[in-house]
Each structure stands twice: as structure tokens, then as C-alpha cells.
């Protein structure tokens, strides 16, 4: 059954391609990319970024005390839906400069309902454009094939393998590098 925009709380439906609800299953909302705006995060976005992490990872990845620091002194961007979806933030990327002058991505997250629609790539491309001339570093679990594929498409290469990068027992990872010159 196709939901109507009013059932989803959406005022303007001209950019929504459809939503399928299945009994007891979460659903994805299909959107056109022109309905998503990538902008620099503001301090009042910190709570939304932490909520995204919890929705996608089941926990906060970035400390609630660190998110304002990333926003204020690092690189933090959010993906915000435009139109009748009340400007909800559905994605974020947060990074900090290292002492070597490179940029280390701390978290890159898209709400599960909006994954697979190019929002993550759009966030990353914004970070890459804003950090031109500086190398980018990211750590990704080897089991996260989707993330590894997108990093590869964006030009990242494997710098080295890391036994347990997040000290969580989730398995091995890789340190990725993009020479952003």
C-alpha cells in the first residue's frame, strides 16, 4: 500500500517518489536529491547528529561533549530535507584536523530510512571540496562493504589494516586515505 504524503506528515509531495509500508518492517523514504541540502552544521544541530548516530549505529559514536567541538573547530556538515518534511536532518559527517594537517573523519552517518540514496556521498563530496589540499583519513571496519565501496569510489585507498580499530571486538578494519590535492 502506498502511503499518501499527508499520512507521512508531508505537506508538499511533488518531490517524494513513494513509500511502501510493510507490516512490522521499517521502510525507506525515497527522495529526489534536490530535496536534500548539505550545509555546515550549527551548534543547535548537535542533538540531531547524536540522534542520527543512535538510529544508525544503536549508540552515540561521538561523545555528546565532542560534537559541539567538531562543529565549532572542525568540519561538520548535515544533510537536511527541504520542503514539507520540516527540515529534518537525515545525515551528517564530522571530522577534525590532525596535528599533521590532515582531516580525520570521526563519523559519517545517514538515517537508515534514507540510506542508499546518495546522501552519504553528497556529504562526503562537500567535505572533500571544503578540505581541498588536505589529506583525508577514515577508519572503516572490513565487514562494512557498503562504506568501503563508497570510499573507493570517492578515491580513497587503503593505507593499512587495523586489528580492532574501535576497541569493540567488532573485527578488523582499515585506515583509508584520500590525497585531496
Amino acid at each position: 500500500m502506498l502511503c499518501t504524503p499527508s499520512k507521512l506528515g508531508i505537506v508538499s509531495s511533488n518531490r517524494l517518489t513513494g513509500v511502501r509500508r510493510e507490516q512490522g518492517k521499517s521502510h525507506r523514504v525515497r527522495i529526489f536529491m534536490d530535496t536534500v541540502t548539505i550545509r555546515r552544521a550549527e551548534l543547535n544541530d548537535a542533538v540531531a547528529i547524536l540522534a542520527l548516530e543512535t538510529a544508525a549505529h544503536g549508540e552515540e559514536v561521538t561523545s555528546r561533549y565532542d560534537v559541539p567541538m567538531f562543529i565549532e573547530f572542525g568540519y561538520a556538515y548535515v544533510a537536511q530535507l527541504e520542503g514539507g518534511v520540516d527540515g529534518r536532518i537525515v545525515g551528517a559527517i564530522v571530522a577534525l584536523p590532525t596535528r599533521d594537517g590532515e582531516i580525520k573523519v570521526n563519523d559519517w552517518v545517514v538515517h537508515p530510512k534514507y540510506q542508499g540514496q546518495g546522501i552519504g556521498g553528497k556529504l562526503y563530496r562537500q567535505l572533500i571540496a571544503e578540505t581541498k589540499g588536505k589529506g583525508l583519513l577514515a577508519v572503516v571496519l572490513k565487514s562494512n562493504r557498503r562504506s568501503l565501496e563508497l570510499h573507493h569510489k570517492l578515491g580513497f585507498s587503503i593505507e593499512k589494516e587495523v586489528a580492532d580499530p574501535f576497541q569493540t571486538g567488532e573485527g578488523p578494519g582499515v585506515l583509508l586515505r584520500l590525497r585531496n590535492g
Side-chain angles (χ1 to χ4, degrees):
M1 176 177 155
L2 193 63
C3 291
T4 64
S6 60
K7 287 183 182 176
L8 295 172
I10 298 171
V11 176
S12 172
S13 65
N14 60 345
R15 296 180 183 191
L16 182 69
T17 61
V19 178
R20 182 173 301 282
R21 285 198 188 268
E22 294 180 33
Q23 193 75 19
K25 293 185 180 179
S26 63
H27 61 279
R28 286 202 178 160
V29 177
R30 301 296 297 163
I31 56 172
F32 289 114
M33 286 310 297
D34 64 350
T35 64
V36 175
T37 300
I38 306 299
R39 64 170 175 78
R40 195 147 179 85
E42 300 170 355
L43 285 174
N44 61 355
D45 295 326
V47 172
I49 292 170
L50 292 170
L52 278 172
E53 289 181 346
T54 301
H57 306 303
E59 64 184 346
E60 291 178 0
V61 173
T62 309
S63 162
R64 69 182 60 210
Y65 305 107
D66 289 344
V67 172
M69 179 183 63
F70 281 95
I71 292 170
E72 202 60 30
F73 302 109
Y75 299 89
Y77 301 93
V78 294
Q80 183 173 14
L81 290 181
E82 299 299 324
V85 192
D86 67 20
R88 185 166 64 179
I89 292 173
V90 297
I93 191 167
V94 292
L96 272 179
T98 68
R99 66 177 136 225
D100 296 329
E102 295 179 298
I103 308 301
K104 162 71 173 62
V105 175
N106 187 69
D107 195 24
W108 172 46
V109 61
V110 175
H111 191 284
K113 290 182 182 179
Y114 298 93
Q115 291 177 2
Q117 299 182 54
I119 294 171
K122 200 169 180 180
L123 281 162
Y124 236 123
R125 283 187 287 284
Q126 180 67 37
L127 177 65
I128 290 168
E130 293 289 326
T131 59
K132 203 70 167 165
K134 298 178 182 175
L136 289 173
L137 301 170
V139 177
V140 177
L141 290 173
K142 287 176 107 177
S143 61
N144 192 344
R145 293 281 176 222
R146 199 166 173 187
S147 180
L148 289 171
E149 287 173 14
L150 186 56
H151 279 90
H152 178 73
K153 284 182 189 176
L154 291 168
F156 281 82
S157 59
I158 295 175
E159 184 79 8
K160 67 178 182 178
E161 292 193 19
V162 184
D164 187 8
F166 306 115
Q167 304 298 304
T168 59
E170 293 178 273
V174 290
L175 173 65
L176 302 170
R177 178 182 303 274
L178 174 66
R179 302 198 189 289
N180 191 14

